[in-house]
Amino acid sequence: MKILPFLLLLFTLGTVAQNAITITVKDAGDNSSLPFATIAVNNKNFIADGDGKLVLQQQTAFFMVGYTGYKPQKINVQPGVKFYRVALVPKPEVLKEMVINASNPAHDIISKTIKRKQGNDPQTRLESFKYKTYDRLVVTANPDSLSGKLDSVFAYEKVGRRFMKLDSTAFKFKKILSKQHLYQTEKVSEFKYNKEQGLKEEVLATRMAGFKQPLYEFIGLKLQSYSVYTDKVELFETRYAGPLADDALQRYNYKILDTVSLENRQAYVIYFSPRRNKKNKLSGVLYIDTANYGVAQAVFKVKNVMNITSTHYFTYQDSLNLWFPDRKTLNIVKGTNKADIKILGEIIKFDTAENPEVQREKEPTDYVYVYSESNNFDKEYNIPVSIQRTSVAIEIKENAINRPEEYWNRFRRDSLDVRSIKTYATLDSLVAKDNWEKIIQLGRRVLNGYVPVGPIDLDLRSIVKYNNYEGFRLGIGGITNDRLSEIFRISAYGAYGTKDGQFKYSLGAAVRVGKFSNSWIGGSYTDDVKEIGSTSFATDKRVFKIYDPRPINVSTFYNHQSWQGYIETKLFPKTESMWQLTRSRIEPKFDYTYNHSGHLYNVFDITTASVAIQWNPFSNFMQTPNGRIEIEKRFPKFAFQYTQSVAGVLGSDFNFAKVDFRTEYEQKYLNGQKTAFLFQTGLAMGNVPLTHLYSTSPNNLDKNGVIARITFAGKNSFETMYFNEFFSSRYLMVQAKHGFKRFTIFRSIKLSPVLVSRFAWGAMDNLDDHTGLQYNTLEKGYYESGFEFNEIFKGLGLTAFYRYGPYHLPQFDRNISVKLSYVLKLF
């Protein structure tokens, strides 16, 4: 759950102070910006941003501006002057200590830094370490930056203007900020590392203003990279190519800005910027030790919808000849965007990147910013460190949310100021008064398809459905929640089909046998119907949908009366698994007979043992007192399922085995585009009835005319493939999608175009054993491609696909599929 981006956009971002002065450093010759120029104030150095700009809030009579290859300038601060444009004049000489025999000395320094990073990165240099860290994040603004005046609002008419009301927004906002911050969180953690087990964070204390129980997803957000030496630098849940990656010299330009003294050691100040596609890319400054080429300080900057600055500070450990992380800061302000953004009913206004000269009138929330600081202490190196439960990257201790004030005071570098103390008191009462915590908890369950009613969570997915066999399926279902018991649960549902006139139901119970692994042992009995040839993995999440488009048009089902016992667990690292033993009586609800060794079956019994495993090896997980959460969803992901049926066991009629595999990959780009791939395959061996074979998810009605076949599009289904057209005992399918950035055509008419191509291949063993239903096989390969134009208006969209290749149909319009799509956005 991406809580922090919503929080940031809700408050909106940007910061200026009336008492501050703004300094912009330019080249006197061509008026170009001098990025990351050095500005010295009161014997302290400040670094400008990538545009040579610095907002200085310190009081001073003068400041010095310097830049490598330019003559330094002293600028006197004049009373009342808020903006200073400093034009530096180039000089021919270069500092001797920066001259390294190469065309670009900065490239040589970076090359040596990359070669020596194994010896300077604490995670490769040290056998082990551990330390504690105190982290504080605030969403706030400087009250001095707001005018706080009451503005008159007028309506302009032909004959003049008419007074309407007083706008007190700025006045109220300034009044609030003078007393408290807008939001605040604190956290105390212990980091442990050894080379064999890796790095783990144990959260010892956590506190979020307004919440008795914190939002654990918030805690798991990746705001900054842990290391500056990695191939990928992370900022605000986005990964960028690292300036010290093995191939960094091919991706970035480097330039020496200065040499400075840090902890009595000399360091090169090196500016880096991307070679190409500079928009939305990473830039910054690296302070490189001139002796051991370790990073002594690092500044990372990204300019986008949000402008982010991340600074890593290190302390030099003389006994180790190593720079070790000491503290980190993160500052986020509002950036530029082509259009304003609407979120949670509020309009967030942005300055446009295309017309930076066009200035709109500032509003109070333009001055809000997010600031986070982490301080490390109690550092120990190369001592015995044992890490338990390495399958989770973050573990929150049971008592972390109940720490007294004395505990917090032990770790805070400075006591909380009056505004910070007031923030907790105000938000605690405000959240309690408006029931925010209950509303958020309710929202979580609704997104998962449940509404809590006392000790029972009612299942929203059971209320109403529709398909061509049952008609409207009306029902009710639910599962007990923690208010009844944390170690025992009961689930049940009942439904009635208005078209088939049959009642369906299920009843189950389970007991939790492992809290950390969230392991349950349970059983159930179900009497229901299921689509023939469908492929599902037992570990798949039951995602809640207002509508489920594809099953609406399905007409071929089989009834199954199933007894099932199961074990579900997350015991194995980065996996979820389901182990099942099922005995079912199967009755096809369509014209079908299975011929097995000369015996004709219209109804049959099947006993299966199966194991399903979902493995997300590149994701990171967090263990909370309430269970395990996937906090960093990374790709590829893998799903595996094996099913075995044995004749004679509990009356089973057939011997067969099924192997199913799926892998997913997703790549999001900074420009808003996204590429996704899906590969799925299945193999059925032995005596398998058609009900348990593969149909590769068709989603097209067998009707004449494109208009007559318009329905809702599915997610990964073949839109031009007709229901029951193909069946396979072994198959593979590949899907590729590329989504382009959303753009506006006219006013509220927008497009989110997605290019889609799908391919399927299959074959059928023992074709003559299945009679009653006419179908084809997929030996020649099936192809379709098309467009998805999602969210054109109010969530509604349109898709169009074309079928080509060996199974192209003679009647042209039969190869075309046009469908509606709908995307529901709650935020």
Side-chain angles (χ1 to χ4, degrees), residues 714-786:
K715 181 181 179 181
N716 298 319
S717 53
F718 283 84
E719 303 300 332
T720 61
M721 185 185 292
Y722 296 96
F723 286 100
N724 302 325
E725 184 179 5
F726 298 95
F727 284 93
S728 307
S729 59
R730 56 187 183 274
Y731 82 101
L732 64 85
M733 66 91 69
V734 179
Q735 174 182 269
K737 287 188 174 184
H738 182 79
F740 295 91
K741 188 176 181 180
R742 184 170 172 81
F743 61 90
T744 301
I745 298 178
F746 177 73
R747 293 184 179 177
S748 58
I749 306 298
K750 301 182 179 181
L751 282 185
S752 299
V754 181
L755 288 176
V756 185
S757 283
R758 298 187 180 100
F759 164 78
W761 173 92
M764 175 67 83
D765 295 329
N766 306 317
L767 188 62
D768 296 335
D769 290 350
H770 311 280
T771 59
L773 191 66
Q774 300 299 315
Y775 59 87
N776 298 318
T777 56
L778 284 166
E779 286 88 349
K780 298 177 183 179
Y782 187 96
Y783 302 84
E784 74 171 23
S785 294

Side-chain angles (χ1 to χ4, degrees), residues 303-370:
K303 300 185 69 174
N304 196 353
V305 175
M306 291 175 288
N307 293 341
I308 306 170
T309 303
S310 170
T311 306
H312 296 245
Y313 299 89
F314 299 79
T315 55
Y316 182 71
Q317 305 298 320
D318 190 66
S319 61
L320 299 171
N321 187 28
L322 179 73
W323 291 89
F324 193 83
D326 183 61
R327 68 186 182 98
K328 292 189 294 187
T329 64
L330 182 74
N331 196 72
I332 307 173
V333 301
K334 188 167 70 173
T336 58
N337 199 39
K338 289 183 178 179
D340 297 339
I341 293 177
K342 183 177 182 180
I343 189 168
L344 297 177
E346 298 292 333
I347 300 294
I348 300 163
K349 296 182 178 181
F350 288 87
D351 294 323
T352 60
E354 287 79 4
N355 298 300
E357 303 300 327
V358 178
Q359 296 293 322
R360 60 177 174 81
E361 184 177 350
K362 294 293 183 181
E363 54 187 31
T365 51
D366 280 323
Y367 302 99
V368 177
Y369 64 93
V370 175

Side-chain angles (χ1 to χ4, degrees), residues 661-698:
F661 174 78
R662 179 185 66 209
T663 182
E664 303 169 85
Y665 178 80
E666 222 175 71
Q667 176 66 53
K668 294 182 179 179
Y669 304 97
L670 296 175
N671 59 8
Q673 301 188 51
K674 182 173 77 172
T675 300
F677 293 96
L678 172 67
F679 174 83
Q680 187 167 310
T681 185
L683 172 63
M685 302 166 287
N687 310 120
V688 193
L690 191 67
T691 52
H692 289 62
L693 292 177
Y694 304 106
S695 65
T696 60
S697 298

Side-chain angles (χ1 to χ4, degrees), residues 243-471:
L244 295 177
D246 292 339
D247 61 348
L249 290 170
Q250 301 172 21
R251 297 177 178 272
Y252 290 99
N253 290 316
Y254 299 87
K255 181 179 181 180
I256 299 177
L257 301 183
D258 206 345
T259 54
V260 296
S261 177
L262 296 174
E263 298 193 22
N264 297 318
R265 294 177 67 86
Q266 289 297 109
Y268 299 114
V269 183
I270 297 183
Y271 164 62
F272 67 90
S273 61
R275 284 183 175 270
R276 47 191 172 274
N277 299 326
K278 294 187 177 183
K279 187 178 180 181
N280 303 336
K281 295 293 184 178
L282 188 72
S283 61
V285 174
L286 298 172
Y287 294 72
I288 307 296
D289 190 305
T290 60
N292 68 4
Y293 290 90
V295 178
Q297 189 173 321
V299 181
F300 301 131
K301 288 179 175 282
V302 171
K303 300 185 69 174
N304 196 353
V305 175
M306 291 175 288
N307 293 341
I308 306 170
T309 303
S310 170
T311 306
H312 296 245
Y313 299 89
F314 299 79
T315 55
Y316 182 71
Q317 305 298 320
D318 190 66
S319 61
L320 299 171
N321 187 28
L322 179 73
W323 291 89
F324 193 83
D326 183 61
R327 68 186 182 98
K328 292 189 294 187
T329 64
L330 182 74
N331 196 72
I332 307 173
V333 301
K334 188 167 70 173
T336 58
N337 199 39
K338 289 183 178 179
D340 297 339
I341 293 177
K342 183 177 182 180
I343 189 168
L344 297 177
E346 298 292 333
I347 300 294
I348 300 163
K349 296 182 178 181
F350 288 87
D351 294 323
T352 60
E354 287 79 4
N355 298 300
E357 303 300 327
V358 178
Q359 296 293 322
R360 60 177 174 81
E361 184 177 350
K362 294 293 183 181
E363 54 187 31
T365 51
D366 280 323
Y367 302 99
V368 177
Y369 64 93
V370 175
Y371 180 77
S372 172
E373 182 169 356
S374 302
N375 293 290
N376 303 334
F377 51 92
D378 292 349
K379 305 169 189 173
E380 297 181 77
Y381 318 102
N382 291 331
I383 45 94
V385 173
S386 178
I387 302 174
Q388 298 180 353
R389 300 174 175 176
T390 56
S391 59
V392 292
I394 303 175
E395 183 174 356
I396 300 177
K397 297 299 184 180
E398 289 280 352
N399 56 351
I401 63 175
N402 299 314
R403 297 294 191 183
E405 194 66 25
E406 310 86 71
Y407 183 90
W408 288 102
N409 288 332
R410 286 164 47 194
F411 300 104
R412 291 169 178 148
R413 182 168 288 185
D414 299 308
S415 300
L416 293 183
D417 58 19
V418 175
R419 290 176 72 199
S420 298
I421 296 172
K422 183 69 174 178
T423 302
Y424 279 126
T426 303
L427 288 179
D428 285 350
S429 61
L430 180 62
V431 170
K433 178 183 176 182
D434 294 339
N435 289 321
W436 285 7
E437 195 162 6
K438 289 184 179 180
I439 291 171
I440 290 175
Q441 292 175 356
L442 174 63
R444 282 173 170 169
R445 294 189 181 182
V446 169
L447 289 174
N448 289 323
Y450 293 99
V451 171
V453 180
I456 298 174
D457 289 347
L458 293 180
D459 191 346
L460 296 173
R461 292 161 289 205
S462 299
I463 297 175
V464 61
K465 296 180 182 178
Y466 180 85
N467 60 66
N468 281 332
Y469 173 74
E470 295 177 280

Side-chain angles (χ1 to χ4, degrees), residues 88-158:
L88 297 184
V89 178
K91 64 178 181 179
E93 65 270 19
V94 179
L95 294 177
K96 291 182 180 180
E97 61 267 30
M98 296 181 188
V99 175
I100 301 173
N101 295 324
S103 58
N104 186 340
H107 280 204
D108 276 349
I109 296 170
I110 293 298
S111 180
K112 289 185 177 182
T113 303
I114 292 172
K115 289 178 181 178
R116 298 190 187 185
K117 67 180 180 179
Q118 294 289 323
N120 286 313
D121 184 352
Q123 289 179 270
T124 56
R125 166 72 180 282
L126 301 177
E127 292 298 320
S128 65
F129 60 78
K130 68 176 181 179
Y131 61 86
K132 293 184 177 68
T133 182
Y134 167 76
D135 179 89
R136 178 169 173 257
L137 180 146
V138 295
V139 181
T140 189
N142 186 339
D144 292 337
S145 64
L146 302 167
S147 64
K149 65 181 181 180
L150 296 174
D151 291 329
S152 300
V153 178
F154 294 90
Y156 287 86
E157 301 171 345
K158 291 183 177 180

Side-chain angles (χ1 to χ4, degrees), residues 525-587:
Y525 177 76
T526 303
D527 186 346
D528 205 341
V529 294
K530 188 175 182 179
E531 178 191 356
I532 68 168
S534 60
T535 303
S536 62
F537 292 79
T539 51
D540 285 349
K541 297 289 190 299
R542 292 183 61 200
V543 179
F544 174 57
K545 301 177 181 177
I546 296 295
Y547 72 100
D548 197 359
R550 189 183 163 275
I552 290 175
N553 302 307
V554 177
S555 59
T556 46
F557 289 82
Y558 63 88
N559 171 258
H560 67 102
Q561 299 170 9
S562 302
W563 292 92
Q564 183 181 87
Y566 66 87
I567 299 174
E568 65 175 78
T569 182
K570 298 179 180 179
L571 180 62
F572 306 106
K574 301 195 175 185
T575 68
E576 298 179 40
S577 62
M578 178 76 78
W579 308 70
Q580 300 177 114
L581 179 64
T582 308
R583 199 275 186 189
S584 301
R585 180 182 181 273
I586 306 297
E587 180 182 359

